[in-house]
Amino acid sequence: MKIIIIGLGNFGSSLAVYLTEMGNEVIGVDNKMEKVDRLKDTIAHTVCMDATNEMAYEAVPVKNADIAVIAIGENEGATIIATAILKKLTDAKIISRSLSPIHDTVLHAMGIKTIVHPEQEFAEALAKKINLKSMINNFELDPNHSVSEIQALSEFEGKTLQEIDFRNEYNLNIITIIRKETKTSFFGTRQSLGKVLGAVNKDTVVQANDILVVFGANKDIAKFCSIE
């Protein structure tokens, strides 16, 4: 994927490196040349520019990006302006860093669905979530194995686990399934909730929008999540 990261502080630079190591084409942007120079030989492209200047984006291929991450720290105004410019210039998915509760409110009002409040060590976890498109949540048991929540493929709908033959096809074990149910609250509003089915067996039928909770090697989980 083509990913633009604006803000190359601790979080932004760590995220840029992790995503590059995972095979993505990353463009790093910052208004300080020393931060740009630090990564110029590590990631695909670096640009020194003021992210609050709309004209400056002519130097960045924002229209071709799949994801844009605004990782600016310490300046809420710059983050909000950069987010607004990107919303105008690209259809890419926008992930924006928030620095405070009121910042959250503004970003939500702008229609930003993915808002992060990162510490430096969170960069690697976010990189994995971006890179593995079907992954929803992940818990590493050791450096090589994880329990992961992954979105069921559309082709699984209406099939039993025996018919899918998940273990032999993908080398992963299904622990359980989380199924979305719509219920009416006390106030009459409709809510979508996830229900854990408990133990599943060969006759369990997969439905649309099911989330599969699987155990396996990280490489096999990554391989499944790369399936379009």
Side-chain angles (χ1 to χ4, degrees):
M1 289 186 289
K2 291 180 171 61
I3 302 170
I4 296 173
I5 298 177
I6 297 175
L8 299 177
N10 289 334
F11 170 66
S13 58
S14 297
L15 185 61
V17 171
Y18 287 130
L19 286 169
T20 296
E21 290 175 348
M22 291 175 175
N24 299 285
E25 181 181 350
V26 177
I27 300 173
V29 176
D30 202 281
N31 63 351
K32 295 182 179 179
M33 184 57 75
E34 61 268 24
K35 292 182 179 180
V36 171
D37 285 341
R38 194 185 309 145
L39 288 181
K40 67 179 182 180
D41 297 322
T42 306
I43 64 177
H45 308 284
T46 53
V47 178
C48 184
M49 71 175 217
D50 178 4
T52 65
N53 181 356
E54 184 175 339
M55 299 298 293
Y57 285 81
E58 294 178 1
V60 183
V62 292
K63 291 185 178 179
N64 296 325
D66 298 301
I67 294 173
V69 181
I70 296 94
I72 299 170
E74 301 179 357
N75 189 333
E76 292 184 4
T79 302
I80 291 168
I81 293 171
T83 301
I85 292 172
L86 284 169
K87 285 275 290 182
K88 177 181 177 181
L89 297 180
T90 181
D91 293 327
K93 177 180 179 180
I94 296 175
I95 299 172
S96 192
R97 178 179 187 174
S98 174
L99 304 174
S100 69
I102 190 65
H103 195 176
D104 281 2
T105 301
V106 174
L107 292 172
H108 280 302
M110 295 172 69
I112 303 303
K113 293 183 173 60
T114 307
I115 299 171
V116 294
H117 312 82
E119 299 293 339
Q120 184 175 359
E121 64 269 18
F122 182 65
E124 183 173 6
L126 179 58
K128 289 178 179 177
K129 192 169 183 179
I130 291 172
N131 204 56
L132 303 181
K133 302 172 189 176
S134 303
M135 183 183 291
I136 298 167
N137 281 309
N138 185 68
F139 176 73
E140 289 190 354
L141 298 175
D142 63 31
N144 299 311
H145 298 85
S146 296
V147 174
S148 296
E149 295 178 7
I150 56 180
Q151 188 67 52
L153 301 179
S154 58
E155 64 199 59
F156 293 168
E157 184 179 353
K159 293 182 179 179
T160 65
L161 295 183
Q162 184 176 36
E163 290 173 320
I164 297 170
D165 199 12
F166 210 82
R167 172 64 184 170
N168 289 324
E169 287 292 326
Y170 305 105
N171 203 32
L172 297 170
N173 294 301
I174 296 181
I175 300 171
T176 188
I177 292 175
I178 300 173
R179 181 159 294 162
K180 292 183 179 179
E181 292 186 341
T182 302
K183 294 186 177 181
T184 303
S185 72
F186 288 112
F187 300 99
T189 58
R190 304 284 285 173
Q191 294 178 312
S192 181
L193 304 173
K195 176 184 177 182
V196 178
L197 298 190
V200 294
N201 57 50
K202 62 183 179 63
D203 297 319
T204 300
V205 177
V206 177
Q207 297 183 8
N209 300 316
D210 275 354
I211 297 169
L212 310 179
V213 182
V214 304
F215 164 76
N218 293 338
K219 62 181 179 63
D220 293 319
I221 294 171
K223 184 178 180 180
F224 179 87
C225 290
S226 67
I227 299 172
E228 295 291 342

